Amino acid sequence: MRRNDLLDSGLLIGVVGAGAMGSGISQVAAAAGRKVLIYDQREGAVEAARDGILARMDKRVREGRLPAAEREAMASRLCPVATLEELAPCGLVVEAIVEELDAKRGLFAGLEGIVSADTVLASNTSSIPIGAIAAGLNRPDRVAGLHFFNPVPLMKLVEVIPAPDTAAEVIEGLMALSRVMEREPVRARDTPGFLVNFGGRPFVTEGLTIAQEGVASPAQIDAVMRDCWGFRMGPFELMDLTGMDVNLPVTEFIHHATFSDPRMRSTYLHRYKVATGQLGRKTGRGHYDYHDGAERPSPDAETRRSAAPAVAIAEPSDALLALLKEMGIEVLETDDGAVPLLAAPIGEDCSTLCSRIGADHRRLIGVDVTGDTTQRVTLMVPPGGDPAIRESVVARFNVARNVTLVGDSPGFIGQRICAMVANLGCEMAQLELANPGAIDAAMRLGLNYPRGPLELADAIGVERLHEIMRRIQEQTGDDRYRPSQWLRRRAQLGLSARAPAFPDLEDDA
Ligand code: NAI
């Protein structure tokens, strides 16, 4: 199969499986001017998929967003077929059937006896190794992963995955064809969860860990990730949207597939939600209640006490002083032994900071100065803190900001979650799952992250990120927080997180 064959406008594309993914793939292929032959073993499934696509097109015509002639052209390009044999003339067949290895192997073996020797066979699997599907076929060199995201017409990302025997021109051809279908392809290694499902784990599992530790509530965690770090949704809102019954198996699969790497570990809270049927929006209750009239718990700390008139600084921090100045908070030159003591811990909880510098823990309040502090500020208190001091500081910050008040936690909420996301992005680069540019693009496009994980690492600062991870690992004794070696090396050398291992090699994202 030569690269140009997949780019030939006369290429016939077969799609097997006309469910959610198969119909989306058929739609984007037909929209790119390709004729698509769709097969499903379930009676009526293909017709239902075609009707669904055309109903969406009709809506766009009514809204004036699609010429009627284009809708007709799309209809003529979407061709239901009743047997697998009818896929014989296809130059590419994309499989989107049930997620079972034996079913996929059986289908591909059957297709080998039907299609021509050069036809490319692609799988849309999210979790089965492409190499396992290709193993045992007569021509494994033409098998690859072509992993679209749901809903396909809206999600631009496609992961293109070679198996051990896949020919280079097959991968290049699929990358080029994906661009014709107005997708953004990234090349990924044939590893568990590929890029997006692997890299997306820590955002939710660290959120769950923070909640399970009693540091903060789901509403507080979501608010911080939205307001301070620019995520469109917080981890709990995201889990409720996806459904816990979808999210948990992916998490367990990846944890198992990585030989229980603690970085990929989740919490019993995750399983408990599924066990108790709190699956998210689909069951009316997940981390939040979606029944009519249900109120969302507030993420904001409120207090009726009067605001602290002045504070002292327990440990100097330029960012903290700048924030206090901007908010007009008076800072005493020297601690008078009575005012609140503020500090801006990085990767440390308040207890560790107090014991390190000998500060009075009853008066100490941690302020997270990382991320965007223009709307919301996260404050943190050690155990044994004076409630009057705490309330007066909350009241003072409340004058100009929403305040999230959390229990003692190394890295508050935002530092912890972002550091976990960014550190795993570094590890993905170290494991050569893809090159740095592709890792960032995949996570932005596949998960709507405001930045890719390596871009996030650079935004936090590589040395600072390394310090955060190292400190959290030290305080918790948990290797979940061990810094990636990719990160350590770049921190030691003062390099960008995106600095490639071999700068002379071309970035072929
Ligand atoms: P689905 O259940 O909506 O559709 C699967 C379709 O395949 C059904 O219509 C079924 O009748 C048909 N089918 C099953 N076995 C068949 C066979 N042997 N021959 C012909 N047709 C067969 O499933 P969905 O969600 O579309 O997923 C399909 C594939 O895409 C799976 O491998 C899944 O892991 C993967 N995927 C799913 C995503 C999602 O969010 N739903 C995202 C990315 C990948």
Side-chain angles (χ1 to χ4, degrees):
M1 164 100 326
R2 292 186 320 279
R3 175 181 181 164
N4 285 343
D5 294 343
L6 285 178
L7 287 183
D8 185 337
S9 60
L11 176 88
L12 280 180
I13 299 179
V15 172
V16 183
M21 297 306 290
S23 73
I25 296 166
S26 302
Q27 179 177 330
V28 297
R34 300 301 188 270
K35 193 163 175 180
V36 188
L37 308 186
I38 319 169
Y39 171 74
D40 194 298
Q41 69 180 17
R42 185 165 46 93
E43 214 177 295
V46 175
E47 289 71 21
R50 185 174 186 273
D51 290 349
I53 298 169
L54 293 178
R56 286 197 289 276
M57 297 299 112
D58 287 338
K59 183 162 177 270
R60 293 183 63 189
V61 171
R62 282 197 302 276
E63 291 166 356
R65 294 193 293 140
L66 187 78
E70 179 52 25
R71 185 263 183 220
E72 290 315 311
M74 285 274 292
S76 72
R77 291 194 286 262
L78 291 164
C79 310
V81 298
T83 62
L84 208 54
E85 284 68 25
E86 289 171 75
L87 300 183
C90 292
L92 164 69
V93 178
V94 184
E95 163 280 309
I97 67 165
V98 62
E99 186 73 341
E100 286 170 14
L101 175 59
D102 285 348
K104 292 190 195 280
R105 265 193 186 149
L107 172 67
F108 277 36
L111 281 169
E112 277 207 312
I114 294 170
V115 297
S116 81
D118 284 343
T119 297
V120 170
L121 301 179
S123 173
N124 185 52
T125 178
S126 350
S127 63
I128 300 174
I130 308 302
I133 297 171
L137 292 181
N138 297 327
R139 290 277 314 272
D141 58 311
R142 39 105 159 244
V143 177
L146 191 64
H147 186 218
F148 291 83
F149 290 77
N150 192 16
V152 179
L154 298 182
M155 299 296 285
K156 293 283 180 195
L157 181 68
V158 184
E159 293 174 331
V160 181
I161 306 131
D165 297 317
T166 311
E169 57 266 34
V170 166
I171 295 301
E172 283 159 21
L174 289 173
M175 299 277 291
L177 178 64
S178 300
R179 289 190 193 101
V180 173
M181 292 196 264
E182 296 186 2
R183 306 295 98 187
E184 301 212 22
V186 295
R187 182 185 310 220
R189 243 182 218 265
D190 192 10
T191 48
F194 310 124
L195 295 179
V196 168
N197 283 335
F198 183 81
R201 289 309 98 205
F203 186 65
V204 288
T205 61
E206 194 58 19
L208 283 159
T209 307
I210 292 169
Q212 185 169 280
E213 285 173 11
V215 167
S217 69
Q220 289 179 304
I221 296 167
D222 283 346
V224 167
M225 297 320 289
R226 269 190 273 103
D227 297 349
C228 305
W229 292 94
F231 286 84
R232 217 174 276 184
M233 267 184 258
F236 297 91
E237 292 160 330
L238 181 65
M239 277 184 271
D240 275 3
L241 182 69
T242 320
M244 301 296 285
D245 55 330
V246 174
N247 195 286
L248 179 67
V250 177
T251 306
E252 289 187 327
F253 153 70
I254 291 178
H255 183 237
H256 177 74
T258 54
F259 288 87
S260 308
D261 183 338
R263 283 186 184 127
M264 312 314 292
R265 195 182 62 216
S266 192
T267 59
Y268 64 73
L269 183 59
H270 209 164
R271 286 205 183 114
Y272 185 75
K273 287 283 172 187
V274 175
T276 53
Q278 300 179 70
L279 304 183
R281 287 174 181 266
K282 64 172 88 166
T283 56
R285 190 160 68 137
H287 297 287
Y288 299 104
D289 189 343
Y290 296 94
H291 293 104
D292 284 346
E295 271 189 34
R296 275 269 176 118
S298 168
D300 302 327
E302 280 167 22
T303 169
R304 278 190 289 275
R305 272 192 204 260
S306 51
V311 298
I313 297 291
E315 187 179 46
S317 150
D318 291 345
L320 177 58
L321 283 171
L323 176 64
L324 298 178
K325 188 172 173 201
E326 194 188 306
M327 295 181 65
I329 297 179
E330 189 192 341
V331 180
L332 301 183
E333 292 268 321
T334 47
D335 177 18
D336 67 0
V339 293
L341 276 176
L342 301 190
I346 299 292
E348 267 185 328
D349 60 15
C350 290
S351 306
T352 307
L353 184 129
C354 285
S355 87
R356 179 170 59 75
I357 64 173
D360 178 359
H361 72 275
R362 286 163 304 180
R363 290 187 293 129
L364 191 107
I365 309 278
V367 184
D368 192 354
V369 293
T370 63
D372 180 358
T373 53
T374 57
Q375 295 177 60
R376 176 174 300 280
V377 172
T378 312
L379 301 179
M380 176 167 76
V381 287
D386 179 336
I389 293 268
R390 182 185 71 218
E391 300 245 318
S392 66
V393 172
V394 168
R396 186 61 190 83
F397 274 83
N398 244 343
V399 172
R401 301 286 191 277
N402 291 314
V403 175
T404 301
L405 179 68
V406 303
D408 217 5
S409 156
F412 298 83
I413 294 170
Q415 287 179 32
R416 267 175 81 163
I417 295 180
C418 289
M420 283 293 285
V421 170
N423 187 55
L424 191 66
C426 291
E427 187 64 9
M428 289 162 74
Q430 183 66 59
L431 297 174
E432 297 184 310
L433 301 194
N435 60 45
I439 292 169
D440 279 340
M443 302 288 282
R444 264 191 273 103
L445 294 167
L447 293 167
N448 283 323
Y449 283 2
R451 297 183 177 105
L454 296 156
E455 292 163 337
L456 180 60
D458 280 342
I460 294 169
V462 169
E463 281 173 58
R464 172 178 278 197
L465 171 63
H466 182 244
E467 196 62 11
I468 292 173
M469 295 304 292
R470 228 183 35 73
R471 286 182 174 170
I472 303 180
Q473 183 192 21
E474 199 176 290
Q475 288 160 90
T476 59
D478 190 344
D479 285 347
R480 174 176 176 78
Y481 302 100
R482 70 193 189 281
S484 164
Q485 299 300 288
W486 176 278
L487 172 64
R488 175 185 56 77
R489 295 187 181 104
R490 281 148 189 79
Q492 286 171 329
L493 301 176
L495 298 173
S496 156
R498 284 168 282 180
F502 300 99
D504 48 329
L505 293 186
E506 202 188 333
D507 189 331
D508 60 352

